[in-house]
Amino acid sequence: MAKRKSKAQPKPKAGRATDMERLRDAILAAALVHVAFDGWTAKALAAGARDAGAGPAGLARAFPGGPRDAARHFGAWADRRMTEGLGRQLRRKPMRTHERVAAAARARLHALAPHREAVRRLVAFLALPNNARLAPKLMWRAADAIWRAAGDASTDFNYYTKRALLSGVYGTTLMFWLTDESENFAATDAFLDRRIADVMKIFSLRARLKSAGDGIAFAKRVADAFGRLVPPGLARRWGQGFGRGRPPRAART
């Protein structure tokens, strides 16, 4: 009797760095030391450009938008490190979908660990009123990168629900991680596992109620059971989306 072939694990993709990306990486790496003291400011970036040997001209080319551009690149940098870290784990052992998502989130936090003070400063920077639109964009991109690294290829309504839910999960986990003093961030790992379990319950509930066609009941149960984990109005949209044949229009970014 022929042996059943094991299901191939998705391989996170990592592209070759461009000259501009290498310039940005070099300035960012040097600037993070200064960011820990001066915050996400023009002063910190200028010091990083000087230390990296890029100078004012290199800084202007790398981050013409100043600290906001640097914050965006910091997120992209963390996503690349996360993808590499998850790839190494998948080569060692296969994982189920929820395990890959949790592992990817941990890999991203691991990449950020040496720069925890810079991350704390980033949270304060994104809390400023003029950065109100940037913060959710960066969180959405982080959630999207995690799902893609985990092998998600959905194009239907699930594409949006997965990322919306994971944005909440990763955001709350990140805030917990910033205050976690446990050894090897064991408390954060446990916190993340509980949040991922909550998300899996939502998808399980949605599948059961979808088969019964009860979108209104789904929306009410999600709102009652998970409260602030689900962004306002999103549960209602999920319920309304049961009878539709196409996903909702993507939010403008």
Side-chain angles (χ1 to χ4, degrees), residues 59-224:
L59 177 60
R61 286 192 297 117
F63 301 119
R68 287 192 186 87
D69 278 359
R72 292 186 187 94
H73 187 70
F74 187 42
W77 174 88
D79 292 338
R80 282 187 278 125
R81 296 297 181 274
M82 174 269 295
T83 301
E84 294 166 2
L86 179 62
R88 288 191 293 269
Q89 293 184 56
L90 291 178
R91 285 192 290 273
R92 291 196 299 267
K93 66 175 184 177
M95 299 181 188
R96 295 180 178 179
T97 300
H98 72 279
E99 293 172 332
R100 294 196 298 269
V101 171
R106 288 191 182 94
R108 199 175 195 277
L109 293 176
H110 179 76
L112 294 174
H115 314 292
R116 195 154 69 139
E117 186 56 39
V119 175
R120 188 176 285 109
R121 293 284 190 148
L122 179 61
V123 171
F125 175 72
L126 294 176
L128 296 175
N130 58 338
N131 293 327
R133 296 182 63 182
L134 178 60
K137 286 182 180 179
L138 294 184
M139 190 57 65
W140 180 275
R141 289 172 184 172
D144 182 51
I146 290 173
W147 272 114
R148 289 182 184 276
D152 178 62
S154 61
T155 57
D156 58 2
F157 198 85
N158 280 333
Y159 174 89
Y160 304 105
T161 59
K162 286 178 178 179
R163 282 146 184 82
L165 282 170
L166 187 58
S167 292
V169 167
Y170 184 73
T172 55
T173 302
L174 181 69
M175 298 305 292
F176 186 95
W177 172 77
L178 285 173
T179 60
D180 185 8
E181 299 300 332
S182 63
E183 186 175 359
N184 296 323
F185 302 113
T188 297
D189 286 344
F191 181 88
L192 175 62
D193 287 339
R194 292 193 296 272
R195 301 290 78 76
I196 294 292
D198 288 343
V199 170
M200 298 308 294
K201 290 176 183 177
I202 289 177
F203 281 110
S204 175
L205 175 62
R206 183 173 191 264
R208 291 199 304 270
L209 291 177
K210 184 175 182 180
S211 63
D214 195 349
I216 296 176
F218 168 77
K220 186 177 185 303
R221 289 283 296 279
V222 168
D224 291 345

Side-chain angles (χ1 to χ4, degrees), residues 157 161 164 218-219 222-223 227-241 244:
F157 198 85
T161 59
F218 168 77
V222 168
R228 294 183 180 179
L229 180 63
V230 181
L234 187 57
R236 183 174 62 255
R237 289 180 61 198
W238 290 337
Q240 294 170 347
R244 297 174 183 171

